[in-house]
């Protein structure tokens, strides 16, 4: 772990498992609540010292520029490390471990350079008051990161917070601490003072929740399941912390009857299968017009058969393993449940066969059809390579099915008529809606959920707002109390 500018070990050690092989990839230090206390103390001391928060924004942006340059120079090494850590196939890992983090950090540097830190308040001619509105950092910000996108999500938590002048404590998921730890030296070499970026490894129930309840933490930025998000929000409320919650999803993916079928087939596979379905914004409910169902399914299966599942370090591989044995068994449990509920399994459904799959954690790409929206495989987030296909007979029915969920993170529409697709998009209850596209999470667009998919937004043009607070400074220009304003209170009503 890394606390107050020092590498910190722990008496308790554990093994990181490469999900593709089941072999030990590294040994790591398991943190506890004392590490959390030390990290928050270090972060608070660095914030109170003012060294970083009082560094001019342009200079802070310069530090981020250096981070971007270092990431770019280490692209191959970090890509491979990302694959070993969580099984993302090399091509995907290059985007997740380096490409996106690099673009996103550049975005925060750019925002920092043009951010409106101060603006004038109202000046009235009635009374001689004026003032200004300043944006200031919050203090110690906690980031709680899940295992599926450790690089990208660590960057989303740590970098805008640091850019805005806060000090940060990151709690990584214990399965994937490498990304947050790799960033330590990169930030340090770029000139970030000690104590501003701290990393604690640990489980959620004790280490995570201790961080969320810590009175010196002012904000918690959390990505994970909706269930844990509720718990985080409850715990954070005791000390009235700000929270940003990026939670689960059950993305509805609507194909309209005028869509280009091959494009929609490819896009729908990408939507549910990227990173073996371990993405919160996945399109896991495919809504097809009844008239198109058979042809679409046939083409989809043909396309799925061309995909290569296997060793994620092979550049030809399209689909890698799932994260852990727990995750694999959970996904297989959902597949069983889907069969019991009466959905028709038309593709996959088990662990792939072959020596390659005897070690590590694997699930075949799996497609169910004849799914209805009340089935568990249509309602719950599976977080694996499982697609539920539903049919509809009118666009209104498709929209109704799409919105019939407590989630609201992502949704998509496929059509050759953009206006028609837009009319549907406007009625979908989701924070991100893609037309003829999926997983397009750009640094320029805010990302977050409607309904129980979350609170707040990350990225986008206003990303720094979530890590700053407004201070209203008002000045009485008369230099003596303004009689008209204070007369009643001070007992000089004749002046009012
Ligand atoms: P999770 O909720 O179990 O854990 C997420 C993180 O929270 C981990 O670091 C965990 O240690 C920590 N945690 C667990 N309990 C905690 C508690 N009581 N207090 C504080 N921290 C606690 O989720 P997961 O299984 O690691 O990740 C998968 C889930 O994350 C999926 O449901 C997925 O949809 C969601 N997710 C959402 C987004 C998004 O941006 N919306 C992105 C990625 C993943």
């Amino acid at each position: 772990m890394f606390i107050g500018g020092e590498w910190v070990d722990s008496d308790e050690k554990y093994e990181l498992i490469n999900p593709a092989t089941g072999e030990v990839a590294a040994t790591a230090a398991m943190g506890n609540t004392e590490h959390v206390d030390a990290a928050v103390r270090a972060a608070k001391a660095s914030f109170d010292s003012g060294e970083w928060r009082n560094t001019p924004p342009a200079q802070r942006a310069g530090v981020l520029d250096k981070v971007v340059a270092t990431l770019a120079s280490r692209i191959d090494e970090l890509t491979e490390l990302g694959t070993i850590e969580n099984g993302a196939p090399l091509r995907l890992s290059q985007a997740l471990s380096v490409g996106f983090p690099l673009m996103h950090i550049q975005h925060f540097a750019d925002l920092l350079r043009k951010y409106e830190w101060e603006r004038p308040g109202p000046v009235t001619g009635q009374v001689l008051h004026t003032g200004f509105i300043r944006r200031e950092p919050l203090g110690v910000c906690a980031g709680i990161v899940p295992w599926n996108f450790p690089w990208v999500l660590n960057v989303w938590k740590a970098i805008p917070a640091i850019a805005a002048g806060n000090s940060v404590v990151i709690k990584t998921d214990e399965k994937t601490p490498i990304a947050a730890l790799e960033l330590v030296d990169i930030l340090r070499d770029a000139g970030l003072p000690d104590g501003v970026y701290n990393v604690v490894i640990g489980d959620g129930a004790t280490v995570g929740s201790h961080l969320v309840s810590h009175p010196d933490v002012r904000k918690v930025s959390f990505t994970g399941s909706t269930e844990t998000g509720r718990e985080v929000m409850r715990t954070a409320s005791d000390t009235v912390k700000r929270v940003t919650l990026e939670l689960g999803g059950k993305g509805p993916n609507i194909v309209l009857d005028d869509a280009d079928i091959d494009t929609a087939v490819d896009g729908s596979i990408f939507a549910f299968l990227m990173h073996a379905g371990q993405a919160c914004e996945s399109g896991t409910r495919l809504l097809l017009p009844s008239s198109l169902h058979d042809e679409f399914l046939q083409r989809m299966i043909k396309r799925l058969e061309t995909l290569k599942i296997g060793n994620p370090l092979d550049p030809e591989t399209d689909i890698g393993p799932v994260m852990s044995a727990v995750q694999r068994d959970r996904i297989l449990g959902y597949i069983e449940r889907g069969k019991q509920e009466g959905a028709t399994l038309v593709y996959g459904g088990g662990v792939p066969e072959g020596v390659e799959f005897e070690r590590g954690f694997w699930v075949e790409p799996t497609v169910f059809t004849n799914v209805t929206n009340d089935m568990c495989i249509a309602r719950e987030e599976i977080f694996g390579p499982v697609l539920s296909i539903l049919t509809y007979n009118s666009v209104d029915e498709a929209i109704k099915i799409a919105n019939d969920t407590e989630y609201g993170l992502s949704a998509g529409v496929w059509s050759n008529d953009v206006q028609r697709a837009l009319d549907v998009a406007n009625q979908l209850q989701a924070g991100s809606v893609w037309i003829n596209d999926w997983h397009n999470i750009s640094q320029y667009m805010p990302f977050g959920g409607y309904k129980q998919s979350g609170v707040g937004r990350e990225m986008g043009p206003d990303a720094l707002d979530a890590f700053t607070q407004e201070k209203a400074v008002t000045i009485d220009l008369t230099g003596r109390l303004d009689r008209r304003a204070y007369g009643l209170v001070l007992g000089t009503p004749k002046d009012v």
Side-chain angles (χ1 to χ4, degrees):
M1 292 170 282
F2 188 72
I3 299 173
E6 307 275 340
W7 289 103
V8 174
D9 208 342
S10 161
D11 294 338
E12 198 186 334
K13 303 283 194 300
Y14 73 102
E15 290 169 341
L16 298 181
I17 305 297
N18 177 339
T21 62
E23 286 165 1
V24 175
T27 302
M30 180 65 86
N32 55 40
T33 54
E34 283 167 28
H35 294 114
V36 170
D37 290 338
V40 174
R41 247 191 332 270
K44 186 170 184 307
S46 78
F47 186 78
D48 290 347
S49 82
E51 184 186 357
W52 176 246
R53 74 183 148 92
N54 293 330
T55 300
Q59 228 167 297
R60 299 207 297 260
V63 170
L64 299 188
D65 290 342
K66 288 187 194 147
V67 172
V68 169
T70 310
L71 284 178
S73 71
R74 294 180 56 191
I75 189 160
D76 291 337
E77 174 205 349
L78 297 179
T79 296
E80 192 174 320
L81 214 46
T83 294
I84 292 169
E85 184 171 38
N86 84 350
L90 272 189
R91 276 179 277 134
L92 178 64
S93 183
Q94 189 176 81
L96 295 181
S97 311
V98 189
F100 291 129
L102 189 152
M103 289 190 294
H104 298 173
I105 296 171
Q106 188 62 64
H107 173 65
F108 295 127
D110 295 344
L111 284 184
L112 196 46
R113 290 195 166 90
K114 59 183 185 209
Y115 197 58
E116 194 176 38
W117 293 99
E118 274 182 12
R119 60 200 154 102
V123 181
T124 69
Q126 284 278 317
V127 280
L128 275 176
H129 279 122
T130 186
F132 59 91
I133 300 155
R134 291 188 67 168
R135 290 208 78 104
E136 298 188 340
L138 301 166
V140 179
C141 295
I144 297 186
V145 184
W147 47 263
N148 61 335
F149 298 135
W151 267 101
V152 174
L153 295 174
N154 184 52
V155 161
W156 285 16
K157 310 293 175 228
I159 302 299
I162 290 173
N166 300 283
S167 293
V168 169
V169 178
I170 294 293
K171 189 208 80 72
T172 73
D173 190 287
E174 63 269 43
K175 292 182 283 306
T176 52
I178 292 175
L181 297 173
E182 278 296 323
L183 205 56
V184 165
D185 284 337
I186 299 177
L187 283 166
R188 211 184 202 184
D189 293 348
L192 191 74
D194 288 346
V196 177
Y197 177 71
N198 304 276
V199 181
V200 176
I201 306 172
D203 74 334
T206 48
V207 176
S209 89
H210 190 67
L211 181 59
V212 175
S213 63
H214 200 295
D216 287 334
V217 171
R218 300 294 171 212
K219 158 144 195 164
V220 179
S221 184
F222 168 85
T223 295
S225 59
T226 293
E227 197 185 340
T228 310
R230 285 189 197 106
E231 178 68 28
V232 165
M233 201 169 184
R234 265 195 296 270
T235 307
S237 72
D238 283 342
T239 40
V240 196
K241 289 180 176 57
R242 285 160 178 71
V243 288
T244 300
L245 305 174
E246 302 287 3
L247 310 176
K250 194 74 198 174
N253 180 17
I254 304 176
V255 177
L256 297 184
D257 57 11
D258 64 353
D260 178 274
I261 297 193
D262 285 332
T263 308
V265 163
D266 265 14
S268 301
I269 291 174
F270 177 54
F272 92 91
L273 206 46
M274 187 198 77
H275 202 9
Q278 302 169 112
C280 49
E281 78 283 2
S282 294
T284 47
R285 285 185 297 150
L286 176 61
L287 276 65
L288 297 177
S290 300
S291 57
L292 212 63
H293 174 271
D294 293 355
E295 187 186 350
F296 197 97
L297 184 62
Q298 204 184 2
R299 290 203 210 180
M300 180 176 244
I301 289 175
K302 240 177 156 175
R303 187 73 175 96
L304 282 169
E305 282 165 350
T306 67
L307 299 182
K308 182 169 164 27
I309 174 166
N311 178 7
L313 286 169
D314 176 349
E316 298 296 312
T317 292
D318 299 299
I319 304 151
V322 298
M323 185 67 221
S324 62
V326 171
Q327 201 62 16
R328 176 199 58 206
D329 295 346
R330 195 170 162 259
I331 299 165
L332 293 175
Y334 271 111
I335 294 172
E336 261 331 290
R337 192 102 182 256
K339 288 194 249 175
Q340 282 163 15
E341 281 180 318
T344 312
L345 179 68
V346 287
Y347 193 78
V351 174
E353 286 179 9
V355 257
E356 201 179 347
F357 306 113
E358 283 168 10
R359 304 174 313 156
F361 319 114
W362 303 89
V363 181
E364 289 176 308
T366 297
V367 180
F368 278 104
T369 187
N370 289 325
V371 178
T372 52
N373 210 38
D374 55 349
M375 291 180 184
C376 169
I377 56 168
R379 301 211 76 80
E380 295 185 21
E381 185 176 52
I382 300 174
F383 227 59
V386 182
L387 179 67
S388 297
I389 301 183
L390 298 89
T391 52
Y392 67 85
N393 292 311
S394 70
V395 174
D396 282 348
E397 188 191 359
I399 294 166
K400 201 162 159 243
I401 296 171
N403 288 335
D404 176 19
T405 166
E406 277 314 312
Y407 290 119
L409 192 62
S410 63
V413 191
W414 300 84
S415 170
N416 269 331
D417 179 339
V418 176
Q419 185 58 58
R420 200 166 163 235
L422 260 181
D423 290 342
V424 175
N426 289 339
Q427 296 179 72
L428 293 173
Q429 298 161 357
S432 294
V433 180
W434 291 292
I435 293 176
N436 297 331
D437 203 357
W438 207 282
H439 293 299
N440 190 343
I441 299 175
S442 139
Q443 63 269 37
Y444 304 114
M445 299 290 244
F447 182 74
Y450 276 30
K451 301 194 276 189
Q452 294 195 31
S453 282
V455 174
R457 294 291 178 269
E458 293 182 287
M459 308 290 289
D462 307 314
L464 294 182
D465 288 0
F467 291 97
T468 56
Q469 55 196 338
E470 282 186 325
K471 179 181 277 177
V473 179
T474 306
I475 309 163
D476 180 340
L477 292 172
T478 65
R480 51 200 160 82
L481 286 178
D482 168 30
R483 292 283 165 205
R484 280 163 298 183
Y486 294 93
L488 279 173
V489 181
L490 297 181
T492 52
K494 62 181 178 338
D495 290 339
V496 176

